[in-house]
Amino acid sequence: MLCFLSDAYREHNPQYEYFRGEKVPCFESVERLDNIVAALQARGHECVSPQTDASSVIAKIHDPAYVSFITHAWQEWLALDEKNHELQPFPSVWPTRTLRDDIVPDNFIAKLGLYSMDNGTPLAAGTWCAAKSGADAAVSAANYLLAGHSSVFSASRPPGHHAGRDFMGGYCFLNNAALAAQALLDQGMKKVVVLDIDYHHGNGTQSLFYDRDDVLFISIHGDPKTEYPFYLGHEDETGEGAGQGYNVNFPLPIGTTFTQWLSALEKAIERIQDFQADALVISLGLDTFEGDPISKFTIKSEDYFQVGQQLASLKLPTAFIMEGGYATEALGTNVVNVLEGFEQA
């Protein structure tokens, strides 16, 4: 399967994050994609550079003020103190209930809180460069489908499905899957499915399409009562306005087995078939793997072949967009198993 990939993913290289109150090395690391690329190449898959500037699509999905902030955030951080190049900025205040979010503060850390949903999305010198190149790869993948190809993989990093219109979160800055879906619609497709199979609910993607009937969003994920992002992803979230009925969540409990997970996927496939879409965008998270350090499902590497086969049964032009997966050594194998299961089917 052809893969769109920019080497700029290496530019986003924060050294630490805060996880359960502890300062730890970043789970979302350069090595994740290094291993994916190595597995792709070892098994004969071609990687090419993005061919499309995603700026016009980004402007449709994300708020201009938010995009301006993340574009210049690192430079603004350095301007505060010349020693800040050795530090990573984190938000410490968020405009939660009763606080105002309609006035952009002057204070940099306050702005970071305004445009963040958590303190687990560290910025680094090359964050914007990597995020923009990942968006370019996702939109290039969409254009590849529009040219008549049946499948494609966008090795975007950092991931994207937690990013909303005007906020970052969960390691995500630009919502690559939403950008791919929007690009498909912009070029004449009428209906697109975004199926999110990451362990964590795609809250950003849901929020972006929640009131629309041209995108069916389906997410299979850990129950938000116990799993990040906690505040979205429940079964009763079904869309609003024109989007009523076009948002479907399958929250699953800790310890979910592959058989149980596959049952949810089969239900998702039935909904997709009923929707009669023109194309399918997969938010490809592999943190459902049994060895993932921050997730709690029990899917094995060999199971991912069957995941790919099931997705191929839809017989839709399909763009796979890389999301999470933090068992770094196994990640490349797991990704390519999905892609090859799809191709073999």
Side-chain angles (χ1 to χ4, degrees):
M1 188 179 296
L2 185 71
C3 168
F4 283 99
L5 167 74
S6 169
D7 285 343
Y9 75 83
R10 295 189 175 93
E11 298 299 314
H12 175 62
N13 191 24
Q15 297 304 299
Y16 62 90
E17 63 175 279
Y18 289 97
F19 181 70
R20 297 173 182 165
E22 297 291 333
K23 183 178 177 180
V24 299
C26 290
F27 291 103
E28 203 294 288
S29 65
V30 171
E31 289 74 24
R32 293 178 61 248
L33 206 52
D34 285 346
N35 283 7
I36 293 171
V37 173
L40 287 166
Q41 293 174 340
R43 289 162 68 170
H45 299 273
E46 181 184 6
C47 294
V48 299
S49 297
Q51 301 168 349
T52 307
D53 180 353
S55 297
S56 63
V57 190
I58 291 171
K60 293 185 177 183
I61 290 294
H62 291 288
D63 178 72
Y66 166 67
V67 174
S68 178
F69 173 72
I70 59 173
T71 302
H72 304 103
W74 189 255
Q75 289 74 22
E76 188 174 347
W77 173 240
L78 294 184
L80 295 175
D81 190 319
E82 62 182 11
K83 296 180 181 179
N84 276 356
H85 72 277
E86 301 173 353
L87 302 173
Q88 293 174 197
F90 289 91
S92 57
V93 179
W94 291 266
T96 187
R97 293 171 295 279
T98 76
L99 299 180
R100 294 183 65 175
D101 61 4
D102 59 321
I103 298 175
V104 179
D106 294 330
N107 180 280
F108 176 81
I109 294 300
K111 279 193 284 191
L112 193 55
L114 178 67
Y115 292 123
S116 300
M117 62 173 279
D118 60 25
N119 74 339
T121 309
L123 285 165
T127 295
W128 170 250
C129 178
K132 174 57 166 55
S133 71
D136 291 344
V139 175
S140 296
N143 288 342
Y144 187 75
L145 293 187
L146 289 161
H149 300 281
S150 61
S151 61
V152 64
F153 175 49
S154 172
S156 301
R157 180 187 174 269
H161 70 150
H162 295 304
R165 176 166 171 76
D166 59 358
F167 61 86
M168 65 187 77
Y171 311 134
C172 304
F173 300 89
L174 295 173
N175 195 308
N176 302 309
L179 293 169
Q182 187 64 52
L184 292 168
L185 294 166
D186 287 347
Q187 297 299 317
M189 289 191 174
K190 302 301 182 184
K191 296 194 292 186
V192 174
V193 176
V194 179
L195 173 61
D196 192 321
I197 60 172
D198 191 281
Y199 180 81
H200 304 96
H201 177 254
N203 62 285
T205 315
Q206 173 172 307
S207 68
L208 286 162
F209 297 122
Y210 202 62
D211 60 354
R212 291 171 55 169
D213 61 2
D214 55 352
V215 176
L216 171 64
F217 175 69
I218 302 179
S219 181
I220 305 170
H221 53 270
D223 192 329
K225 292 194 295 292
T226 61
E227 305 306 302
Y228 184 94
F230 302 114
Y231 307 112
L232 215 61
H234 297 282
E235 195 170 354
D236 64 351
E237 297 158 12
T238 58
E240 64 184 13
Q244 179 61 48
Y246 296 100
N247 193 91
V248 184
N249 287 319
F250 292 99
L252 300 174
I254 290 171
T256 288
T257 66
F258 181 56
T259 299
Q260 294 167 325
W261 188 92
L262 197 59
S263 176
L265 179 61
E266 289 167 352
K267 294 174 184 176
I269 287 172
E270 290 176 5
R271 295 294 298 267
I272 294 169
Q273 290 169 332
D274 291 341
F275 186 61
Q276 297 184 326
D278 298 308
L280 174 64
V281 175
I282 303 292
S283 272
L284 185 62
L286 280 305
D287 40 6
T288 52
F289 176 59
E290 63 179 355
D292 195 273
I294 61 174
S295 305
K296 300 167 185 174
F297 287 172
T298 61
I299 298 178
K300 302 180 185 300
S301 290
E302 56 268 27
D303 295 329
Y304 289 114
F305 284 108
Q306 189 172 349
V307 174
Q309 291 167 354
Q310 290 289 99
L311 296 173
S313 71
L314 286 162
K315 301 186 185 305
L316 288 171
T318 301
F320 293 89
I321 311 295
M322 192 64 213
E323 301 287 1
Y326 308 101
T328 303
E329 292 185 5
L331 184 58
T333 296
N334 294 343
V335 167
V336 180
N337 284 358
V338 174
L339 303 182
E340 291 188 349
F342 184 93
E343 288 189 317
Q344 291 167 8

